[in-house]
């Protein structure tokens, strides 16, 4: 059995060690699904997604154990391969079953590069309002409250600050000046974020009301909900998908890193930036 989980400190060459153990196991028991499964997990955790997919496929071909686990992993790495994350943070987030507000900020900055898209497509705004000379020279000490007071030690602080500055709907600070970077986001929230990015980049404001009054194609989604239009924008463009078996959108469910990345890839294709 190849077990590589549950250790905070492991050898720098851990993957090589796991590969050696896999070869030994394979030489003795060539049809051992457990060996294929655990080496697949090792490849996935080291971001070697193509190799991981081959090993999980091997488990499915053997068909004598670990079938359910391998099938779940196989579908995940296939999604990640299609999404093709380019940044190290993107690859890390791709492995998550649930992404947070901080993770979403990192994906938008490091994978979608939304800051560059906004800069290229959003006209500059200049403050031409009158200011009296006295205003310019008012002295005194004051303390400016930062937009978010709970991100100073967050590993994704730079990305979070960037999305705050852009004012992406659903990723603004809360009224109490917190960002809550570790809060999981829902599928409805992600849809609203993607809708807002699409509107800001294309400049087509009509997208915000395109599906208002339309009949909902989802059995679990009313058309009078505040996020209905965003969900329709995302699903009709292939940015997000509903459950294939039930047809439900599951608006309050969480979104995985792989699914979030697939949505970003689809948006990039539509914007001609992929």
């Amino acid at each position: 059995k190849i077990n590589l989980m549950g250790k905070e400190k492991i050898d720098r060459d851990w993957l090589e060690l796991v590969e050696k153990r896999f070869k030994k196991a394979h030489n003795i028991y060539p049809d051992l699904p457990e060996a294929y499964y655990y080496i697949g997990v090792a490849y996935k955790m080291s971001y070697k997604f193509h190799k991981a997919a081959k090993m999980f496929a091997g488990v499915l071909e053997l068909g004598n154990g670990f079938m359910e686990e391998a099938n779940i992993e196989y579908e995940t790495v296939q999604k990640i391969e299609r999404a093709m994350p380019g940044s190290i943070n993107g690859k890390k987030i791709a492995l998550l079953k649930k992404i947070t507000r901080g993770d979403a900020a990192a994906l938008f900055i490091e994978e979608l590069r939304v800051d560059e898209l906004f800069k290229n497509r959003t006209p500059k705004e200049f403050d031409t309002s009158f200011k009296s000379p006295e205003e310019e020279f008012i002295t005194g000490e004051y303390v400016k409250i930062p937009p978010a007071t709970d991100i100073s030690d967050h590993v994704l602080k730079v990305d979070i600050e960037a999305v705050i500055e852009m004012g992406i709907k659903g990723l603004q600070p809360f009224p109490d000046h917190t960002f809550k970077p570790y809060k999981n986001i829902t599928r409805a929230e992600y849809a609203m974020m993607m809708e807002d990015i699409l509107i800001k980049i294309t400049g087509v404001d009509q997208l915000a009301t395109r599906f208002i009054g339309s009949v909902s194609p989802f059995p679990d989604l009313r058309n009078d909900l505040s996020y209905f239009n965003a969900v329709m924008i995302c699903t009709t463009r292939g940015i997000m998908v509903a459950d294939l078996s039930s047809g439900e959108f599951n608006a309050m469910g969480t979104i995985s890193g792989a699914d979030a990345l697939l949505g970003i890839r689809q948006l990039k294709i539509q914007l001609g930036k992929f």
Side-chain angles (χ1 to χ4, degrees):
K1 180 176 179 177
I2 301 173
N3 190 350
L4 53 110
M5 314 304 273
K7 292 185 178 180
E8 294 181 1
K9 295 182 180 179
I10 55 179
D11 195 289
R12 181 178 296 178
D13 301 318
W14 68 270
L15 182 59
E16 184 179 339
L17 296 173
V18 173
E19 288 177 321
K20 287 179 179 178
R21 294 183 66 184
F22 169 75
K23 288 178 182 177
K24 286 183 179 180
H26 186 264
N27 288 335
I28 300 171
Y29 303 106
D31 296 331
L32 186 66
E34 192 172 358
Y36 282 89
Y37 175 77
Y38 281 109
I39 189 67
V41 173
Y43 283 137
K44 186 188 78 166
M45 298 304 293
S46 56
Y47 315 129
K48 298 182 184 297
F49 302 118
H50 185 65
K51 286 187 174 183
K54 287 180 65 175
M55 291 301 170
F56 294 134
V59 176
L60 300 177
E61 289 171 8
L62 288 173
N64 61 354
F66 279 74
M67 295 285 288
E68 184 177 350
E69 300 94 327
N71 188 57
I72 293 172
E73 295 287 6
Y74 185 54
E75 289 181 355
T76 299
V77 293
Q78 280 190 313
K79 285 182 180 180
I80 296 171
E81 281 194 288
R82 294 203 308 275
M84 293 186 291
S87 65
I88 187 62
N89 279 328
K91 291 174 182 177
K92 289 179 180 179
I93 294 169
L95 301 178
L96 301 177
K97 293 182 179 180
K98 303 175 183 179
I99 68 168
T100 64
R101 286 166 56 83
D103 297 328
L107 292 182
F108 292 148
I109 296 299
E110 299 187 36
E111 293 294 327
L112 183 56
R113 298 192 179 281
V114 71
D115 50 340
E116 295 178 10
L117 292 175
F118 278 25
K119 187 184 301 181
N120 294 336
R121 303 197 184 200
T122 304
K124 291 183 179 179
E125 294 183 3
F126 300 94
D127 184 2
T128 57
S129 60
F130 174 76
K131 291 183 176 63
S132 68
E134 290 81 5
E135 265 189 274
E136 296 292 329
F137 295 100
I138 291 177
T139 59
E141 295 184 1
Y142 67 94
V143 177
K144 184 179 180 181
I145 300 176
T149 58
D150 58 345
I151 63 170
S152 60
D153 58 350
H154 197 282
V155 67
L156 300 173
K157 177 177 181 287
V158 174
D159 291 336
I160 293 170
E161 288 177 333
V163 295
I164 289 175
E165 186 176 347
M166 286 179 286
I168 295 174
K169 186 178 179 180
L171 276 182
Q172 306 104 319
F174 292 94
D176 62 355
H177 289 276
T178 61
F179 184 79
K180 296 181 173 57
Y182 298 106
K183 182 179 183 292
N184 291 331
I185 63 172
T186 66
R187 285 168 53 80
E189 288 171 332
Y190 193 71
M192 289 190 289
M193 293 171 196
M194 296 295 267
E195 177 197 47
D196 191 54
I197 290 171
L198 187 61
I199 292 171
K200 281 182 166 68
I201 292 174
T202 62
V204 182
D205 294 336
Q206 293 85 349
L207 289 173
T209 56
R210 178 159 296 179
F211 291 96
I212 290 180
S214 299
V215 176
S216 175
F218 310 107
D220 62 335
L221 198 70
R222 301 196 319 272
N223 66 354
D224 61 343
L225 293 167
S226 60
Y227 46 82
F228 174 74
N229 189 81
V231 170
M232 291 298 293
I233 288 290
C234 288
T235 53
T236 55
R237 291 170 177 263
I239 295 170
M240 298 181 75
V241 296
D243 185 274
L244 294 177
S245 58
S246 67
E248 296 176 359
F249 182 75
N250 188 23
M252 293 299 103
T254 54
I255 185 167
S256 70
D259 284 332
L261 277 160
L262 276 177
I264 285 174
R265 179 179 185 269
Q266 186 62 31
L267 182 58
K268 287 166 73 174
I269 291 173
Q270 293 185 23
L271 293 172
K273 291 293 180 181
F274 192 76

